[in-house]
Amino acid sequence: MAWRCYRATSRFTWKIHANFRESFISTILFVCLLFPFTTEAGLYTASDQVVVLTPDNVDSVLVNSTAALVVEFYASWCGHCIAFSPVWKSLASDIKEWKPAVDVAAIDCANQDNGPICSRFGVRGYPTLKFFHAYSKPDSKGEGFRGFPRNVRGLRHKIINKMETHAEPWPPACPPLETASRAELDNFFETNSVGHLALLFETSNSYVGRELTLDLLQYENIAVRRVLSTEDGLVAKLNVTDFPSCYLYSPSGIFTRLHVQLEARTFYTYALQRLPGVVRAGKPLPVTSDLAKNTTEDQLRPFNRSRVYMADLESTLHYSLRMELAAHPVIKGEALSALQRYISVLAKYFPGRPVVNNLLKSVDTWLKGEKDTELSYSSLRDALDNTAEVPNAALPKGVRWVGCQGSKPHFRRYPCGMWTLFHVLTVQAEEAADKDPQEVLQAMRSYIHSFFGCQACATHFENMAQESMSHVGTLSSAVLWLWSHHNHVNNRLAGALSEDPHFPKIQWPSPELCPSCHGVKNGEHTWNQEELLTFLRSHFSSEHLLSDYLEEEAQLLSRQKERLVTRHQEQEAKRGAERRARQTQDTSVKPPPEEEEEVAKEEPAEEEAERAGGKVQMSEPPPWVKPKADVSHQPQRRPSIVGLKFRPPQEEIVDLDAFINQHYKALRAAARVSSRVKLRTLQKKEQPGAGLEQGPVLLLGMQPVEPEDLLGQHNMLQKRILTGKYTGSEEEGALEMYPHPNKRRWMSLLSVGFSRLDISLCVLLYFLSSMCLLAMYLFFKNCRRLRRAKVALP
Ligand SMILES: Cc1cc2nc3c(=O)[nH]c(=O)nc-3n(C[C@H](O)[C@H](O)[C@H](O)COP(=O)(O)OP(=O)(O)OC[C@H]3O[C@@H](n4cnc5c(N)ncnc54)[C@H](O)[C@@H]3O)c2cc1C
Ligand SMILES: *[C@@H]1O[C@H](CO)[C@@H](O)[C@H](O)[C@H]1NC(C)=O
Ligand SMILES: *[C@@H]1O[C@H](CO)[C@@H](O)[C@H](O)[C@H]1NC(C)=O
Ligand SMILES: *[C@@H]1O[C@H](CO)[C@@H](O)[C@H](O)[C@H]1NC(C)=O
């Protein structure tokens, strides 16, 4: 498992190279550790909270386990099993908190490899349920569940009955399930060091107390006991009249009634999990309990947990567009259409400030006009940085998480922002009453699929989407689809290492946040969809977004302006320096830094900004404001061969020998640099036709080129083709908003390996030789005429 995980992680890390924040990678690592890519067999998968048994794991899971197990033996072809599988999945989700005490498993007996296991346990009909005690012996055949109920509630009760009669040794993680007596409670805090004792008063046939005990077994600082209505002393002392009802008993000896909206299991669970000091004990690794003890919340920016912040949405845009997409130097095919859809829904529905909306719209217009099949990320970045200077448009640089802050840097943040963004967009689309109900969901799906850095997440999400996204037929069901599938993910991740102990994964919204969303039917919790929809519409509505911690628009624009000015100045300075360098006739040409290298270098700067952004208070100028690496993305800074092209015209009269000499050196240097870069970048695919265009360059070199150099040339040519394409579409008028990109790039496409100087020299020579021929022709013609005249005269 660890090995597989390592492999997946390293592939991921490799792919995104230096562009990702370290903390995000560590989150992924956690995620990966939690979701080893188990073989998906039969009716259940790893994301169902059901342990899928195979010949490889059956002994390690069933024999001598510290938790009891309930196993379903089924055959994937059996209709009853197929009909029963949703119940089994729901049961597994419903009692997922009980895992350390009792876990849910399944095995497909129709799978040939599993056949021997099923016969070893004496299974003949399907589905068969068996209960295995904790610390089962290798020869244990388990206890059958005869005539088991076909619903979650009945099964849950049956499991509790089994647990209560569990023989010694008792599963160590399982708290006592018997009723508490007054005598036991009187000195409870002398023997237990917890902050809260929850007493659930109920009748003897009620299971709520025991269910609640198990629901909270993974939580620290709280214990739950059931007290029967027949425990007269306590009932009279507290004047308990409702059964069930819940009272909190604190070490100071005070009893208080726990107020819940409805007296039912789910409401108690929500309420108890949210008590102060109560946190999940993070069973899988001690790291989490460490975190749990250290309350870092006071270091966070103050915010209201029941609200949505624009700062999170803008941070998500920055991270997604400037960091996540930057990992894709070339965007084409499926990814390009994913990007177009994503930008398109952002332009349509993002409820942003005018500046941000203007920018999104300008990027969308530009992208829609792009007729090419490929897009280089650098051109997208220029659009995002507004190099075209579209008035009153900017996308804030850097991140500033507010509602998505985590208690540690590797918690929450970007994925939290991503969910929030898409909830907001589905709600906005509904408000706009657009006609395509799937537009936003499909845009999210393709973005996640093509770009979302967490690949395991993307796979899980794609599986969910394949299952049911196509059934979404109305805009409001799109809102609900995302809500319910987000909850599905929350359910799967509750207690995972990636869960922030201070922001437990709950089935959202909690009863405090939306009381009317919750209901109870036959003692079981239900969601009230109508109320839920009303709640979601208001929670994620644009009027409800809070604008705290946002950088002012005017400031934003002036910062952007500054950056652009600095960028221009640095370009000028750069060109000036180059000119001066050449004027000193220094023939030792040093290759200026390569563009690809700068992409890699830039990210740490952003990363710093982001990290600092997490701490810096608003009064200080945010660090990402400093115009750092922006200047560097200009094509002018590409080395030598291209650089030569951009020489100012007045310098084009050069001594030919010196020129060839210099040119050749530059070529070699460039080749070496780019072949080095090649190793580090991900560009693998051959550009069709690039090979053909090597010819002129080689001729220009006028000397044999080493294989290494060939590779380098090739790479450079690819780059140039890309740029050529970009400029090509500018020509078509699509880029009118972005007139900046250098017109001179056309030259680079046309002349391939020739510089402008080369061409002028050619033309000049051609012209001179024609003139020479003409002169000779005229001269001889004249001579003949003269001679003829002489002959005729006498
Ligand atoms: C598409 C996608 C797939 C992911 N898959 C995985 C995965 O497979 N494994 C993994 O470890 N992590 C996955 N993640 C990350 C994970 O879901 C969380 O985003 C991350 O752990 C941060 O959690 P959080 O506590 O900030 O809450 P999040 O789940 O990120 O939720 C953010 C906020 O949205 C609100 N919210 C919560 N639930 C709902 C809901 N049902 N409807 C509407 N609003 C809600 C809450 O206010 C919450 O604080 C995925 C993220 C995304 C975007
Ligand atoms: C079963 O596990 C316990 C501890 O978990 C261990 O002490 C014991 O030796 C194990 N027994 C067998 C047969 O593996
Ligand atoms: C809690 O965190 C703070 C700041 O991160 C640290 O200084 C302190 O030592 C931590 N306390 C414990 C008990 O880990
Ligand atoms: C947080 O927002 C909710 C919902 O708008 C509001 O009722 C509550 O008073 C706010 N809390 C604080 C501390 O501002």
Side-chain angles (χ1 to χ4, degrees):
M1 166 176 155
W3 178 78
R4 273 197 210 141
C5 186
Y6 164 75
R7 205 175 54 165
T9 314
S10 66
R11 193 187 54 194
F12 170 73
T13 322
W14 171 75
K15 187 168 167 209
I16 57 169
H17 203 46
N19 295 341
F20 249 82
R21 282 164 38 219
E22 180 195 317
S23 58
F24 194 67
I25 290 176
S26 62
T27 312
I28 305 313
L29 209 141
F30 282 163
V31 169
C32 186
L33 276 168
L34 277 156
F35 299 102
F37 305 102
T38 348
T39 44
E40 299 196 356
L43 303 174
Y44 305 99
T45 67
S47 49
D48 289 324
Q49 306 275 5
V50 174
V51 182
V52 177
L53 295 180
T54 64
D56 293 339
N57 70 8
V58 66
D59 284 316
S60 61
V61 173
L62 290 185
V63 178
N64 203 24
S65 153
T66 52
L69 271 123
V70 232
V71 183
E72 183 202 0
F73 293 84
Y74 70 95
S76 43
W77 46 259
C78 126
H80 284 297
C81 305
I82 297 168
F84 181 65
S85 65
V87 177
W88 200 242
K89 286 181 191 177
S90 306
L91 175 77
S93 307
D94 189 70
I95 64 169
K96 65 171 195 302
E97 295 291 348
W98 306 5
K99 274 178 188 294
V102 53
D103 207 348
V104 175
I107 182 165
D108 181 7
C109 298
N111 184 327
Q112 283 209 342
D113 300 341
N114 298 339
I117 302 171
C118 298
S119 42
R120 168 179 147 195
F121 291 106
V123 175
R124 267 176 237 105
Y126 312 112
T128 293
L129 300 190
K130 279 177 179 281
F131 185 84
F132 291 84
H133 285 261
Y135 302 107
S136 282
K137 301 263 179 322
D139 58 356
S140 162
K141 291 212 182 332
E143 292 170 29
F145 266 32
R146 228 160 289 130
F148 60 86
R150 299 295 208 259
N151 62 68
V152 172
R153 182 185 167 83
L155 285 166
R156 209 169 56 215
H157 293 174
K158 196 128 182 135
I159 290 170
I160 288 180
N161 292 343
K162 284 282 182 201
M163 291 304 285
E164 275 194 307
T165 55
H166 197 289
E168 284 301 322
W170 182 257
C174 188
L177 297 172
E178 66 264 30
T179 59
S181 66
R182 176 152 195 189
E184 188 204 333
L185 297 178
D186 279 342
N187 48 20
F188 180 85
F189 288 110
E190 285 163 25
T191 47
N192 294 278
S193 61
V194 293
H196 306 275
L197 173 63
L199 296 177
L200 199 103
F201 289 84
E202 61 182 350
T203 52
S204 61
N205 61 355
S206 161
Y207 282 88
V208 177
R210 285 163 285 180
E211 287 166 352
L212 200 56
T213 308
L214 289 164
D215 280 344
L216 283 148
L217 76 86
Q218 299 193 47
Y219 283 76
E220 278 187 345
N221 216 13
I222 185 159
V224 184
R225 293 282 183 278
R226 70 189 289 236
V227 185
L228 291 189
S229 52
T230 50
E231 190 69 38
D232 294 331
L234 263 176
V235 170
K237 183 181 169 194
L238 299 178
N239 195 17
V240 181
T241 49
D242 300 330
F243 302 97
S245 62
C246 186
Y247 288 77
L248 291 176
Y249 182 32
S250 71
S252 51
I254 300 165
F255 285 95
T256 43
R257 172 110 186 231
L258 182 71
H259 289 286
V260 287
Q261 186 193 335
L262 292 167
E263 304 285 344
R265 172 190 169 208
T266 317
F267 297 90
Y268 296 133
T269 310
Y270 269 119
L272 294 181
Q273 287 175 354
R274 301 291 286 272
L275 286 176
V278 174
V279 282
R280 187 189 290 280
K283 282 286 162 208
L285 264 188
V287 192
T288 350
S289 51
D290 248 16
L291 289 170
K293 287 201 187 82
N294 204 341
T295 336
T296 46
E297 254 167 304
D298 43 0
Q299 296 159 15
L300 302 180
R301 299 188 178 104
F303 72 104
N304 186 338
R305 285 182 182 230
S306 10
R307 299 298 290 271
V308 181
Y309 287 81
M310 180 51 81
D312 291 316
L313 299 179
E314 287 186 359
S315 300
T316 305
L317 289 185
H318 165 82
Y319 193 88
S320 142
L321 297 171
R322 290 215 183 86
M323 308 279 282
E324 195 156 66
L325 286 175
H328 303 252
V330 179
I331 302 169
K332 60 183 171 190
E334 201 188 334
L336 183 57
S337 71
L339 176 68
Q340 276 163 340
R341 283 169 163 189
Y342 178 56
I343 299 282
S344 161
V345 298
L346 287 177
K348 257 167 118 170
Y349 305 121
F350 188 74
R353 305 186 272 168
V355 267
V356 177
N357 281 353
N358 287 345
L359 187 99
L360 290 172
K361 291 211 170 80
S362 78
V363 176
D364 184 45
T365 316
W366 165 66
L367 211 54
K368 285 211 171 94
E370 270 292 308
K371 294 287 180 293
D372 280 307
T373 53
E374 283 189 4
L375 180 79
S376 72
Y377 177 72
S378 57
S379 60
L380 176 64
R381 178 173 39 209
D382 284 347
L384 294 167
D385 290 347
N386 197 10
T387 50
E389 299 180 49
V390 176
N392 204 26
L395 178 67
K397 279 213 153 187
V399 294
R400 196 176 291 180
W401 304 111
V402 181
C404 281
Q405 289 171 101
S407 63
K408 293 272 157 159
H410 61 269
F411 288 136
R412 311 191 74 225
R413 299 186 171 203
Y414 178 58
C416 167
M418 206 60 188
W419 280 119
T420 313
L421 174 66
F422 279 102
H423 287 300
V424 166
L425 293 177
T426 51
V427 167
Q428 294 302 310
E430 200 209 6
E431 210 167 85
D434 212 85
K435 47 189 181 312
D436 181 4
Q438 300 219 352
E439 188 185 15
V440 174
L441 292 184
Q442 294 292 353
M444 175 179 187
R445 177 184 184 175
S446 56
Y447 180 87
I448 299 280
H449 179 71
S450 295
F451 302 111
F452 198 52
C454 167
Q455 291 190 334
C457 303
T459 311
H460 283 131
F461 191 75
E462 180 57 28
N463 290 344
M464 294 197 304
Q466 265 170 18
E467 226 167 71
S468 56
M469 198 183 267
S470 60
H471 304 328
V472 172
T474 61
L475 289 163
S476 51
S477 57
V479 174
L480 287 174
W481 188 93
L482 197 57
W483 161 79
S484 77
H485 287 78
H486 188 176
N487 265 348
H488 190 86
V489 174
N490 290 344
N491 179 62
R492 179 157 51 77
L493 297 179
L497 282 169
S498 61
E499 178 184 57
D500 189 330
H502 297 281
F503 297 86
K505 297 264 191 304
I506 56 162
Q507 290 301 288
W508 189 93
S510 68
E512 299 109 82
L513 201 53
C514 176
S516 56
C517 296
H518 299 263
V520 168
K521 207 169 146 193
N522 302 330
E524 293 293 287
H525 176 265
T526 57
W527 291 102
N528 183 342
Q529 306 241 324
E530 279 302 309
E531 294 292 333
L532 200 59
L533 202 54
T534 314
F535 168 78
L536 292 171
R537 278 182 193 134
S538 113
H539 184 76
F540 292 111
S541 71
S542 49
E543 303 84 64
H544 246 79
L545 294 176
L546 293 180
S547 54
D548 308 33
Y549 303 105
L550 288 180
E551 195 179 2
E552 292 225 342
E553 291 195 17
Q555 212 176 10
L556 199 65
L557 288 168
S558 69
R559 292 245 167 80
Q560 178 176 262
K561 189 111 197 128
E562 272 168 37
R563 271 197 298 269
L564 290 175
V565 167
T566 326
R567 181 168 162 157
H568 284 310
Q569 282 170 349
E570 296 208 11
Q571 277 160 25
E572 285 304 320
K574 178 89 196 148
R575 250 175 270 153
E578 274 172 13
R579 205 177 307 142
R580 255 172 277 123
R582 272 191 306 272
Q583 274 166 354
T584 56
Q585 290 291 325
D586 179 8
T587 47
S588 69
V589 179
K590 265 188 278 155
E594 258 271 311
E595 191 179 0
E596 279 98 327
E597 286 185 293
E598 278 152 16
V599 173
K601 260 188 255 149
E602 183 197 20
E603 302 313 345
E606 296 256 336
E607 191 185 319
E608 265 166 39
E610 134 114 86
R611 246 191 252 124
K615 288 169 211 137
V616 176
Q617 286 308 302
M618 292 306 298
S619 50
E620 300 165 38
W624 57 80
V625 165
K626 283 174 211 138
K628 281 180 205 160
D630 282 22
V631 210
S632 53
H633 316 304
Q634 282 309 296
Q636 285 88 331
R637 295 189 64 187
R638 247 180 260 139
S640 43
I641 180 162
V642 185
L644 275 170
K645 251 180 301 188
F646 296 129
R647 261 188 219 175
Q650 72 267 22
E651 290 185 5
E652 285 185 8
I653 305 143
V654 199
D655 162 37
L656 199 63
D657 278 346
F659 162 65
I660 288 171
N661 212 350
Q662 186 180 1
H663 199 161
Y664 176 64
K665 274 192 188 159
L667 243 166
R668 295 291 303 262
R672 237 168 285 132
V673 168
S674 43
S675 62
R676 249 190 292 130
V677 168
K678 161 118 183 168
L679 295 177
R680 259 174 283 134
T681 54
L682 294 167
Q683 259 179 336
K684 295 178 292 213
K685 297 207 184 86
E686 305 269 355
Q687 207 75 46
L692 287 176
E693 281 144 355
Q694 263 168 24
V697 185
L698 295 185
L699 282 177
L700 249 187
M702 289 182 202
Q703 271 186 37
V705 182
E706 295 162 20
E708 181 210 30
D709 292 0
L710 263 171
L711 194 74
Q713 303 290 350
H714 190 129
N715 211 25
M716 272 179 48
L717 281 167
Q718 280 183 19
K719 263 274 28 134
R720 200 135 9 97
I721 287 156
L722 266 177
T723 3
K725 278 213 177 116
Y726 166 7
T727 330
S729 52
E730 176 189 32
E731 212 76 350
E732 287 157 31
L735 259 172
E736 255 134 42
M737 292 166 89
Y738 299 94
H740 256 334
N742 216 308
K743 284 251 159 68
R744 276 178 281 185
R745 284 193 201 165
W746 253 118
M747 284 300 296
S748 73
L749 179 69
L750 289 175
S751 58
V752 189
F754 297 102
S755 75
R756 197 162 164 177
L757 185 63
D758 305 334
I759 292 181
S760 346
L761 281 171
C762 267
V763 170
L764 191 71
L765 284 173
Y766 181 78
F767 179 68
L768 283 178
S769 52
S770 334
M771 289 312 285
C772 193
L773 280 173
L774 188 69
M776 279 161 76
Y777 169 71
L778 288 174
F779 174 71
F780 284 115
K781 203 175 159 188
N782 256 356
C783 283
R784 260 176 62 192
R785 214 186 295 149
L786 275 174
R787 224 179 299 143
R788 231 183 280 152
K790 264 186 204 161
V791 171
L793 265 178

